[in-house]
Amino acid sequence: SILMQRRLFLYNFRNLRKAKGRRETYLCYVVKRRDSATSCSLDFGYLRNQMGCHVEVLFLRYIAAWDLDPGRCYRITWFTSWSPCYDCAQHIASFLRSYPNLTLRIFMARLYFCEDRKAEPEGLRRLHKAGAQIAIMTFKDFFYCWNTFVENREQAFKGWEGLHENSVHLARKLRRILLPLYEVDDLRDAFKILGL
């Protein structure tokens, strides 16, 4: 099936602050071609990590095989259960530089931080600098995924307890990560002046 099972979606995309046991990353995608003021949907579906290969790299291999027309504009939208790791962020940034006619929007349910390497924030900053639009999923995004990618048997999406609060918390965390470093230094100086 090209649609995800409900239990897989609800387990893997739940935006918990501490998501223990959720080791796989799921990526739901929509690929569109833009023709002047209109867009044409080309493909949609979902992927997950495969043995030894992260889902982001799998998708980049998949889309690279399409032999995209350099004279046309494409927009790809991802909804991921985890944000990309540092290495995947590097691969994605490099891919975007190779395809200037392609835009990528990434909506993430949770932020991934490897315990032994604190490089992920830098990876997200580089990804953002490369032109990727990155954001935390909100209720509206979960609702869209439920209706687009999930075998929901016509059941309406019901948010879980803490969905909104966790989205706000994670969005603030992401905003702090993406804040330009000069603004962070300005804030530090301001706090020093105030004695905080």
Side-chain angles (χ1 to χ4, degrees):
S1 171
I2 61 167
L3 296 177
M4 188 184 304
Q5 294 176 2
R6 286 177 294 169
R7 64 176 179 76
L8 278 178
F9 177 77
L10 292 172
Y11 179 76
N12 287 287
F13 276 84
R14 194 170 294 246
N15 64 346
L16 304 169
R17 292 187 194 192
K18 295 190 190 244
K20 293 188 179 200
R22 288 158 173 85
R23 301 191 190 288
E24 290 188 305
T25 301
Y26 281 79
L27 183 153
C28 300
Y29 65 89
V30 176
V31 181
K32 292 186 176 184
R33 185 182 67 229
R34 302 216 21 116
D35 296 314
S36 64
T38 62
S39 65
C40 169
S41 208
L42 300 177
D43 195 16
F44 80 99
Y46 79 95
L47 299 167
R48 68 175 175 85
N49 289 353
Q50 297 296 322
M51 200 58 88
C53 191
H54 287 191
V55 70
E56 297 90 345
V57 174
L58 287 172
F59 183 87
L60 295 180
R61 288 179 188 163
Y62 170 68
I63 201 73
W66 282 29
D67 196 26
L68 299 172
D69 180 348
R72 295 196 158 190
C73 295
Y74 299 89
R75 184 172 74 188
I76 297 172
T77 304
W78 288 354
F79 298 91
T80 63
S81 56
W82 287 105
S83 63
C85 70
Y86 178 80
D87 293 335
C88 287
Q90 294 289 85
H91 286 297
I92 299 164
S94 174
F95 184 85
L96 289 174
R97 285 190 289 274
S98 300
Y99 291 90
N101 58 325
L102 186 146
T103 58
L104 176 65
R105 299 183 310 163
I106 305 172
F107 297 92
M108 307 164 294
R110 295 181 303 271
L111 294 172
Y112 171 76
F113 298 105
C114 186
E115 294 301 321
D116 56 341
R117 280 185 16 195
K118 300 293 184 198
E120 276 69 29
E122 180 57 30
L124 291 174
R125 282 190 286 273
R126 288 184 183 189
L127 186 55
H128 183 64
K129 261 188 215 172
Q133 300 168 24
I134 54 180
I136 296 297
M137 291 177 72
T138 63
F139 179 89
K140 180 183 79 165
D141 303 314
F142 290 110
F143 180 84
Y144 174 80
C145 285
W146 179 262
N147 289 313
T148 307
F149 304 106
V150 178
E151 190 178 283
N152 60 38
R153 298 191 187 130
E154 311 264 332
Q155 288 185 348
F157 176 70
K158 293 182 183 125
W160 46 85
E161 186 177 334
L163 183 153
H164 176 71
E165 294 81 3
N166 290 341
S167 287
V168 169
H169 170 78
L170 291 166
R172 284 182 184 146
K173 201 171 195 175
L174 179 62
R175 191 169 50 248
R176 283 194 301 272
I177 290 169
L178 299 180
L179 198 64
L181 291 177
Y182 68 85
E183 289 185 30
V184 172
D185 290 337
D186 289 348
L187 286 173
R188 285 186 186 133
D189 291 342
F191 285 137
K192 282 180 189 171
I193 291 169
L194 293 171
L196 301 174

